[in-house]
Amino acid sequence: MTEQKGAAPTQYGRVMLKISGEALMGDQGFGLHPPTVERIAREVESVVALGVEVCMVIGGGNIFRGLQGSAQGMERTTADYMGMLATVMNALAMQSAIEARGLHCRVISAIRMDEVCEPYIRRRAIRHLEKKRIVIFAAGTGNPYFTTDTAATLRANEMNCEAIFKGTKVDGVYDKDPKKHADAKRYGEVSYDEVLQKHLGVMDASAIALARDNRLPIIVFSLDEPGGFRAILGGEGTYTRVQN
């Protein structure tokens, strides 16, 4: 259990926050919405105030989605590398918003670009976390054909995170789309195998299998709910827990 003086206790000492690139575009149809980026930075700040060490992985779909580019005739490997570069842009935007709040943050890229961020070195990344710096992992795994969901699960395992927090637009995992079906039911807890068998869409199959094999819980919650991230870390709020 980790806490700072005056902070509410939490069962988590180190967590991975995974959000989509689309989460950064607010009500826009494309790109970055600075007030939304700043709001998410405040959410992260509130969790750091609990004494929790935070890693982040942000998708790139608000700028470029490799799979979509491939579907439009672009060679898949090239499209995926373009998607990885989009995640670096998002990571730098989030770093700027976090540092504007007086916090220390490092962007670590799986593809070397030393002029703008650090290369991925596991021990260095862990040291940043131990020094209470927020670490944003960019450029996915550095390999095409792997999603940022898989990258988040891989880095969470490498960083010895205790859970992945998947921030979405809904407050958990449902048996069907709650925006289309009024009778959709939310799971309080669901197994990895059930997620795979029922195609519940929490993360891609590779990410779910990697989490399952390493017994890494996935907490699915609404990132649009102000204070939701902190509340769940404090044992409150609405969410779905994916585990064995």
Side-chain angles (χ1 to χ4, degrees), residues 57-59 80 83-88 108-111 120 137-144 146-152 154-155 158:
V57 168
I58 307 170
D80 279 354
M84 291 179 215
L85 296 178
T87 70
V88 176
I108 297 180
S109 172
I111 298 175
Y120 176 69
F137 295 104
T141 65
N143 302 289
F146 289 91
T147 68
T148 51
D149 281 344
T150 301
L154 174 64
R155 298 297 185 227
E158 290 179 309

Side-chain angles (χ1 to χ4, degrees), residues 173-188:
V173 180
Y174 286 77
D175 59 353
K176 46 191 163 185
D177 191 341
K179 295 182 179 179
K180 297 179 180 178
H181 304 277
D183 61 341
K185 295 181 179 179
R186 184 181 59 81
Y187 294 94

Side-chain angles (χ1 to χ4, degrees), residues 14 53 104-108 118 121-135:
R14 181 179 296 169
E53 297 168 1
H104 296 287
C105 181
R106 298 290 185 271
V107 173
I108 297 180
E118 296 181 13
I121 299 172
R122 178 178 176 270
R123 287 179 178 271
R124 181 186 292 176
I126 289 175
R127 185 62 178 147
H128 285 320
L129 291 168
E130 291 172 345
K131 290 183 175 181
K132 307 304 178 184
R133 296 166 180 159
I134 297 159
V135 176

Side-chain angles (χ1 to χ4, degrees), residues 4-77:
Q4 290 182 346
K5 185 176 180 180
T10 171
Q11 61 179 307
Y12 300 102
R14 181 179 296 169
V15 301
M16 167 66 72
L17 174 62
K18 168 61 172 71
I19 61 177
S20 67
E22 288 86 348
L24 303 185
M25 65 186 186
D27 295 329
Q28 301 174 158
F30 182 82
L32 290 158
H33 183 237
T36 299
V37 177
E38 291 166 10
R39 178 180 62 79
I40 295 172
R42 289 196 300 270
E43 293 285 324
V44 173
E45 179 186 29
S46 71
V47 168
V48 171
L50 295 175
V52 179
E53 297 168 1
V54 178
C55 313
M56 296 180 70
V57 168
I58 307 170
N62 58 319
I63 299 172
F64 188 86
R65 185 179 293 278
L67 194 59
Q68 188 175 49
S70 177
Q72 294 176 358
M74 186 176 292
E75 194 270 325
R76 174 66 188 271
T77 301

Side-chain angles (χ1 to χ4, degrees), residues 23 51 60 73 86 96 153 213:
S96 178
T153 309
D213 293 347

